[in-house]
Amino acid sequence: MKRHEFLQMMEELLAIEPGTLSDTQRLRELEGWGSLAVMECMAQVEEKTGILLQPKKIALCETVSDLYQLLEESNQAAV
Amino acid sequence: MSVHVCSHAQICGIASAVPAEVQTNAQRSDDFEPSWIARISQQIGVQERRVARHLCTSDLCYAAAKQLLSSLSWAPDTIDVLLFVSQTPDYRLPATACSLQGRLGLSKHCVAFDINLGCSGYVYGLWIAAQLLSSSRIRRILLLVGDTASRFVSQQDITTALLFGDAGTATALEFDDDASPMFFDVGTDGTGESHLMIPAGGYRQPSQEHTKTPIAYEANKVRSAEDLWMDGAEVFAFTLREIPKSIRSVLASAQWTTEQLDVFVPHQANAWMLQQLCKRVGLPAHKMLNSLQHFGNTSSASIPLAMTTALPSDLCERSLRLLLSGFGVGWSWATVAFLSTPMIVLPPVYLEETERYQPAWLS
């Protein structure tokens, strides 16, 4: 999954205006980022890439970029 | 464990009982923001639940069992085994199965024991019953399964307070030489114990003043160590990791395709998660039973409760290719595929609080 696709997916699931979510955005400052959004994110990532992100690793992510980094690392580990 | 085939077990009937008292999620607006209630209720697919105040799981199972035995015309002394599957027993000891054997007037030769399992408990109970019927001289088994989960959740924790309801069920199984084979997959991953648990009140962290004290972890998430803790994301990850494999393995053993399957009855965990599960195994949503809207997640009772409330006439009238899968607390799971034969399926008993059992020694 390309970075821009990931950002677009996050904007959709958080109901944020397209093109406004930045890499450096802190997750905890996003109003919609809670347990429901975490599960929706896991579901969409798994559906699109086959990678099941680990909840305890998601919990350690501070920013949107950290989350994408986790996806990249999980992707490499799976290869 | 690889798929296990049991050959001589026939399900003859299923009955259920729920508390008469209804609690709607909308009623909880004193405790939670209405917009949050609406959002969560929509995601989990629950509008209302049946809740026990003082009723015990055994009271619900007893009511279901009495009705079922009467409908089947099974005399109490013909029951060889009583299994009680629950996480909400009457006492720390003795086993509730023993109490129920006495209350139901079953024979003293009856084998009776408790099994402490939740979400996976019904299919686990079916597996144990089917094993006993397949490999011993046991002829009739009464499988009583249920929980009063609403009594162990914090009413101030939005994660669980809007989800769980209460129910008790009874399933009658009989030895039958001609019964269709049942294909079971049963599994455990105890490394997940901490994600769905009541941490205190047992013997590792005995009940004390501080374990009873509610703690606010976040807004809307207030609970004590004696209330249920559920990490929804971990439950979801476990479900996606293990359950599609379990389902595929029993379908492969039964040599059924998802198209040939008539009905899928999963543990009624929550609606969104079940949709995700159906997608992963290529099961059309219309083949899945859903009883969440009016009963919520009733833990171990959810599969038989869904069968008695969402599928009664089909189960009574014809043979069905059924797939049942229970999964959750433990982590523990059990999946079964089998061809049912027409059976007795009774509508739920609605039990009033006044109908709860009063043991003689307590009065």
Side-chain angles (χ1 to χ4, degrees), chain B residues 31-32 154-159 210-225 227 229:
Chain B
D31 293 308
F32 307 117
S154 161
Q155 292 305 312
Q156 273 67 52
D157 184 348
I158 201 165
T159 316
H210 77 269
T211 63
K212 292 186 181 134
T213 308
I215 297 167
Y217 292 91
E218 289 174 47
N220 292 338
K221 291 182 185 170
V222 181
R223 64 178 180 277
S224 79
D227 295 320
W229 148 244

Side-chain angles (χ1 to χ4, degrees), chain A residues 3-78:
Chain A
R3 186 176 287 262
H4 74 273
E5 291 169 331
F6 177 75
L7 285 174
Q8 193 181 345
M9 181 198 83
M10 289 290 286
E11 285 167 347
E12 279 169 20
L13 75 87
L14 293 165
I16 298 174
E17 204 172 317
T20 59
L21 188 63
S22 77
D23 270 350
T24 54
Q25 172 68 51
R26 299 182 83 78
L27 290 163
R28 74 177 65 161
E29 289 165 5
L30 286 165
E31 198 187 336
W33 186 248
S35 55
L36 300 185
V38 167
M39 285 189 276
E40 187 61 51
C41 174
M42 287 166 63
Q44 291 201 23
V45 166
E46 200 271 346
E47 212 176 344
K48 291 180 165 93
T49 67
I51 289 163
L52 186 57
L53 297 175
Q54 290 183 38
K56 62 184 174 206
K57 290 191 176 170
I58 297 176
L60 296 174
C61 294
E62 295 271 338
T63 63
V64 171
S65 181
D66 292 343
L67 198 54
Y68 184 69
Q69 195 63 37
L70 172 63
L71 170 59
E72 289 283 274
E73 285 164 12
S74 307
N75 196 14
Q76 278 165 13

Side-chain angles (χ1 to χ4, degrees), chain B residues 261-273:
Chain B
L261 188 71
D262 291 311
V263 184
F264 173 41
V265 197
H267 163 55
Q268 305 285 295
N270 78 61
W272 177 83
M273 199 163 84

